Amino acid sequence: MAAAKIESIFIYPIKSCRGISVSQAPICPTGFLWDRHWMVINAKGRACTQRVEPRLALVEVDLPSEAFSVGWKPTKSSYLVIRAPGMDELKVSLSKPSEKSEGVTVWEWTGSVLDEGAEASKWFTDYIGKPSRLVRFNNDSDSRPLPEYAPTPGYNLVFTDQYQFLMLSQGSLDALNSQLEEPLPVNRFRPSIFIDGCEPFAEDLWKEIKINNITFISIQLCPRCKVPLVNQENGIPGPEPNETLMKFRSDKILQLSTKHHGKVYFGQGLVCSKDSFDEVGGMILKVGDTIHVEKVFASYADAIA
């Protein structure tokens, strides 16, 4: 049987805004370089996402193509470029700002972040229609550990939800789309590593894999929230795919535990093994890289534990 390979790599520089499809992506100790390094916050300092502001789906983000090369460093003329319907283009310098925002919250974490200033704040305030600021994770002074339930403690995140990487296969997407009246594109599910060449939902039971000699460890199956309900082309939510996922991907159907909470699962959450940073030079994934399955779970209950 042919091995699965990476079909696409997606980076989401600003949490809950549009992703960038890249041919390669360097890996740092919190995940892909540039992935969710920025976040929009509301007046209370809380993360602003498509769950509450679905129009964030229309915010396009761009980075210099050379930013995805190992060892590249920003210059004074390097920018994060942001666009949205009805808005002028916003350029945010990749040089770290000096201003800080304190008490910023994303899920269970509260900390100090770098604030991208008044121009970015006005841009997002005007676009969303509510007081907003654009902030950047401050790796120099803060860290954000994986949630306590994670089976492999000692790993850190930036503004990602629960794990460093989300893997999804074309086979799983095809299996879902075969049950939907209108097939959905992969961008509805916002994976970071999209693969092809395996059976539907095979990735669910991969406990440990190697890609380009880099080891990735499963954290848990991904419980899906409201974001996949948002059409990424127009920012309008609907009932699918969660209604259909509930019919064959719920915690009850998958027999994940004795207590059922009405969650649906689609995709596998991963971290990059800390040992890989000692063993592999120039940590990078590329489209076309082969997935080598090293260890598997015996059951779905083990995969969610």
Side-chain angles (χ1 to χ4, degrees), residues 22-62:
V22 297
S23 60
Q24 64 179 38
I27 296 173
C28 61
T30 56
F32 281 135
L33 185 62
W34 306 117
D35 190 52
R36 276 89 163 192
H37 281 218
W38 287 266
M39 177 174 71
V40 181
I41 58 173
N42 64 18
K44 295 182 178 180
R46 294 174 182 163
C48 183
T49 74
Q50 290 185 34
R51 297 172 182 85
V52 178
E53 302 294 344
R55 289 181 71 242
L56 285 174
L58 307 184
V59 177
E60 297 181 9
V61 183
D62 201 7

Side-chain angles (χ1 to χ4, degrees), residues 31-240:
F32 281 135
L33 185 62
W34 306 117
D35 190 52
R36 276 89 163 192
H37 281 218
W38 287 266
M39 177 174 71
V40 181
I41 58 173
N42 64 18
K44 295 182 178 180
R46 294 174 182 163
C48 183
T49 74
Q50 290 185 34
R51 297 172 182 85
V52 178
E53 302 294 344
R55 289 181 71 242
L56 285 174
L58 307 184
V59 177
E60 297 181 9
V61 183
D62 201 7
L63 282 165
S65 59
E66 58 269 26
F68 300 101
S69 300
V70 171
W72 180 81
K73 300 294 184 183
T75 67
K76 291 183 178 179
S77 59
S78 303
Y79 294 95
L80 175 75
V81 181
I82 305 170
R83 304 178 183 91
M87 301 292 294
D88 291 336
E89 181 180 275
L90 174 67
K91 286 188 174 182
V92 176
S93 174
L94 292 184
S95 300
K96 290 188 176 181
S98 56
E99 188 177 345
K100 293 185 178 180
S101 288
E102 306 290 340
V104 168
T105 300
V106 53
W107 292 108
E108 75 298 329
W109 180 86
T110 300
S112 171
V113 299
L114 302 172
D115 195 303
E116 294 292 1
E119 184 183 2
S121 175
K122 183 179 187 307
W123 194 97
F124 277 98
T125 296
D126 290 346
Y127 179 69
I128 294 173
K130 301 174 185 176
S132 306
R133 302 195 72 83
L134 180 67
V135 298
R136 188 191 309 202
F137 199 89
N138 189 359
N139 285 308
D140 295 333
S141 65
D142 279 77
S143 60
R144 179 178 167 230
L146 258 67
E148 292 182 358
Y149 60 74
T152 49
Y155 289 88
N156 290 327
L157 305 171
V158 278
F159 293 136
T160 40
D161 276 357
Q162 297 171 305
Y163 21 73
Q164 297 172 350
F165 307 90
L166 175 61
M167 175 179 283
L168 181 66
S169 73
Q170 181 72 61
S172 299
L173 180 60
D174 290 345
L176 170 61
N177 279 335
S178 69
Q179 300 192 43
L180 293 171
E181 288 187 15
E182 296 184 16
L184 298 178
V186 67
N187 67 5
R188 289 288 282 267
F189 305 97
R190 301 175 66 81
S192 43
I193 305 171
F194 186 50
I195 65 173
D196 197 7
C198 63
E199 294 296 317
F201 309 110
E203 68 271 24
D204 290 356
L205 298 178
W206 292 348
K207 185 176 183 179
E208 188 175 298
I209 61 175
K210 274 193 175 183
I211 311 174
N212 202 12
N213 288 321
I214 303 167
T215 299
F216 295 84
I217 302 167
S218 166
I219 295 299
Q220 66 164 181
L221 296 180
C222 181
R224 304 313 306 223
C225 61
K226 295 180 179 179
V227 173
L229 303 179
V230 179
N231 185 319
Q232 299 295 297
E233 307 308 316
N234 59 24
I236 299 173
E240 292 290 9

